[in-house]
Amino acid sequence: MELKSLIRDITDFPQPGILFRDITTLIGNPQGLRHTIDLLDEKCRSANLIPDYIVGMESRGFIFATPLAYQLNAGFVPIRKPGKLPAPVYSVSYDLEYGTDSLEIHQDAIAPQSKVLIVDDLLATGGTAQATVELLHKIEAQIIGCAFAIELIALKGREKLPNIPIISLIEY
Ligand SMILES: O=P(O)(O)OC[C@H]1O[C@H](OP(=O)(O)OP(=O)(O)O)[C@H](O)[C@@H]1O
Ligand SMILES: Nc1ncnc2[nH]cnc12
């Protein structure tokens, strides 16, 4: 199955000059959703990326992170936008392709030194993933890798994630 054919391109969203890769058409397709999760599962297993926890970034990251955690028998830990998590948090600000934002994690989300895999729908500039790495350092997690459904190669997000194994399924 050609996953790329299920992703819709929207020009000038959310602002002029951005070519938005819309996953709603991928995840709305039953075979597309299943095949994406199955492929992430297979690639993680063959790279020996078997985590204790998967962290997923709000909101599109949740869509892929939770079923992958289920498949890999890992816990799911949400990384959320500010003011959403109820217990004490660590917080980090970051830049992304179209603006700035902050992300938060519960301070007690994992036991220190647990193996963690970062999962998001898309790697662009890497700002979101880099902020997540910073949050995971604060809670003393052992980061074993990152997995993305989509990677925008020209934006060089990988350069912000040195020495971290990275899996992606669809490249632009
Ligand atoms: O590599 P980067 O340049 O950081 O960009 C990638 C991030 O941008 C999008 O999230 P967005 O902040 O738009 O939020 P959403 O998931 O709530 O739509 C996407 O889901 C990634 O998390
Ligand atoms: N071009 C893009 N398309 C979809 N999501 C994004 N997140 C950051 N850049 C994006």
Side-chain angles (χ1 to χ4, degrees), residues 58-61 81 94-98 120-128:
E58 183 177 358
S59 57
R60 278 177 270 155
K81 307 271 164 86
Y94 66 104
D95 294 323
L96 75 172
E97 199 185 358
Y98 38 74
D120 205 351
D121 67 320
L122 181 145
L123 177 65
T125 65
T128 305

Coordinates of all heavy atoms in Angstrom, one line a residue, residues 58-61 81 94-98 120-128, ligand 1:
E58 N 1.1 16.2 21.9 CA -0.2 16.7 21.5 C -0.1 17.5 20.2 O 0.8 18.3 20.1 CB -0.7 17.6 22.7 CG -2.1 18.2 22.4 CD -2.6 19.0 23.6 OE1 -1.9 19.1 24.6 OE2 -3.7 19.5 23.5
S59 N -1.1 17.4 19.4 CA -2.2 16.5 19.4 C -2.1 15.4 18.4 O -2.5 14.2 18.6 CB -3.5 17.2 19.2 OG -3.5 17.9 17.9
R60 N -1.4 15.7 17.2 CA -1.4 14.6 16.2 C -0.5 13.5 16.6 O -0.7 12.4 16.1 CB -0.9 15.3 14.9 CG -2.0 15.9 14.1 CD -1.5 16.6 12.9 NE -1.1 17.9 13.1 CZ -0.2 18.6 12.4 NH1 0.4 18.0 11.4 NH2 0.2 19.8 12.6
G61 N 0.5 13.7 17.5 CA 1.3 12.7 17.9 C 0.6 11.6 18.7 O 0.9 10.4 18.6
K81 N 0.4 20.6 25.5 CA 0.5 22.0 25.4 C 0.2 22.6 26.8 O -0.3 21.9 27.6 CB -0.5 22.5 24.3 CG -0.4 21.9 22.9 CD 0.6 22.5 22.0 CE 1.0 21.6 20.8 NZ 0.2 21.7 19.6
Y94 N 9.7 26.2 22.6 CA 10.3 25.7 21.3 C 9.8 26.5 20.1 O 8.7 27.0 20.2 CB 10.2 24.2 21.2 CG 8.8 23.8 20.9 CD1 8.3 23.4 19.7 CD2 7.8 23.8 22.0 CE1 7.0 23.0 19.4 CE2 6.5 23.4 21.8 CZ 6.1 23.0 20.5 OH 4.8 22.7 20.3
D95 N 10.5 26.4 19.0 CA 10.1 27.0 17.7 C 9.6 25.9 16.8 O 10.2 24.8 16.9 CB 11.2 27.7 17.0 CG 11.7 28.9 17.8 OD1 10.8 29.6 18.4 OD2 12.9 29.2 17.8
L96 N 8.6 26.1 16.0 CA 8.3 25.1 15.0 C 8.1 25.8 13.6 O 8.4 27.0 13.5 CB 7.0 24.3 15.4 CG 5.6 24.9 15.3 CD1 4.6 23.8 15.6 CD2 5.5 25.9 16.4
E97 N 7.8 25.1 12.6 CA 7.8 25.6 11.2 C 6.9 26.9 11.1 O 7.2 27.7 10.3 CB 7.3 24.5 10.2 CG 7.7 24.8 8.8 CD 7.2 23.9 7.8 OE1 6.5 22.9 8.1 OE2 7.4 24.1 6.6
Y98 N 5.9 27.0 11.9 CA 5.0 28.1 11.9 C 4.6 28.7 13.2 O 3.5 28.7 13.6 CB 3.7 27.7 11.1 CG 3.2 26.4 11.3 CD1 2.5 26.1 12.5 CD2 3.3 25.4 10.4 CE1 2.0 24.8 12.8 CE2 2.8 24.1 10.6 CZ 2.2 23.8 11.8 OH 1.7 22.6 12.0
D120 N 5.8 10.9 17.0 CA 4.9 12.0 16.5 C 4.5 11.7 15.1 O 5.1 10.8 14.4 CB 5.7 13.3 16.6 CG 4.8 14.6 16.7 OD1 3.6 14.4 16.6 OD2 5.4 15.6 16.9
D121 N 3.5 12.5 14.6 CA 3.1 12.2 13.2 C 4.1 12.7 12.2 O 4.3 12.0 11.2 CB 1.7 12.9 12.9 CG 1.9 14.5 12.9 OD1 2.6 15.0 13.8 OD2 1.2 15.1 12.1
L122 N 4.9 13.8 12.5 CA 5.7 14.4 11.5 C 6.9 15.1 12.1 O 6.8 15.8 13.1 CB 4.8 15.4 10.8 CG 5.3 16.2 9.6 CD1 4.2 16.4 8.6 CD2 5.8 17.6 10.1
L123 N 8.0 14.9 11.4 CA 9.3 15.6 11.8 C 9.5 16.7 10.7 O 9.7 16.4 9.6 CB 10.4 14.7 11.8 CG 11.8 15.3 12.1 CD1 11.9 15.8 13.5 CD2 12.9 14.2 11.9
A124 N 9.5 18.0 11.2 CA 9.7 19.1 10.3 C 11.0 19.7 10.7 O 12.1 19.2 10.4 CB 8.5 20.1 10.3
T125 N 11.0 20.9 11.4 CA 12.3 21.5 11.8 C 12.9 20.7 13.0 O 14.1 21.0 13.3 CB 12.0 22.9 12.3 OG1 11.2 22.9 13.5 CG2 11.3 23.8 11.2
G126 N 12.2 19.9 13.6 CA 12.7 19.2 14.8 C 12.5 19.9 16.1 O 12.9 19.4 17.1
G127 N 11.9 21.1 16.0 CA 11.8 21.9 17.3 C 10.9 21.2 18.3 O 11.3 21.1 19.5
T128 N 9.9 20.5 17.9 CA 9.0 19.8 18.8 C 9.7 18.6 19.4 O 9.6 18.4 20.6 CB 7.7 19.4 18.1 OG1 7.1 20.5 17.4 CG2 6.7 18.7 19.0
Ligands
LIG1 O1 9.4 19.5 13.6 P1 8.6 20.7 13.9 O2 9.0 21.9 13.1 O3 8.6 21.0 15.4 O4 7.1 20.4 13.5 C1 6.4 19.2 13.8 C2 5.3 19.3 14.7 O5 4.3 20.2 14.1 C3 3.0 19.6 14.2 O6 2.4 19.9 15.4 P2 1.6 21.2 15.8 O7 2.4 22.0 16.7 O8 1.2 21.9 14.5 O9 0.4 20.7 16.7 P3 -0.8 19.7 16.5 O10 -0.2 18.3 16.5 O11 -1.7 20.0 17.7 O12 -1.5 19.9 15.2 C4 3.3 18.1 14.1 O13 2.3 17.4 14.7 C5 4.6 18.0 14.9 O14 4.4 17.8 16.3

